[in-house]
Amino acid sequence: KLAHPTRAGHDQALALKAESPGFYGGRLGEGVTGRWLVTIEDPAGKWRLHGEWQADSGEPLRLVAKAD
């Protein structure tokens, strides 16, 4: 899920597919620029990763799981 911090009507949900070990990809909708709050979780809701992404930075989103 991509949630825009100030424009709720622009939030997006997308499914990711494995592209190679540890790398996943998906298709974003139109107009994804600026800062986004990102949540990735499994379909059963047993795990979740959170992060922030600057979409127009040219850098891919990278989330890393940390042990508690």
Side-chain angles (χ1 to χ4, degrees), residues 22-55:
F23 292 89
Y24 296 83
R27 191 155 200 53
L28 297 173
E30 299 281 326
V32 178
T33 62
R35 185 173 74 104
W36 293 83
L37 306 175
V38 180
T39 302
I40 298 175
E41 63 185 352
D42 72 315
K46 294 186 178 193
W47 60 265
R48 181 177 301 127
L49 297 174
H50 296 282
E52 290 188 19
W53 178 47
Q54 186 68 34

Side-chain angles (χ1 to χ4, degrees), residues 5-17:
T6 60
R7 298 182 297 183
H10 290 85
D11 294 356
Q12 295 187 32
L14 58 140
L16 300 177
K17 294 185 179 187

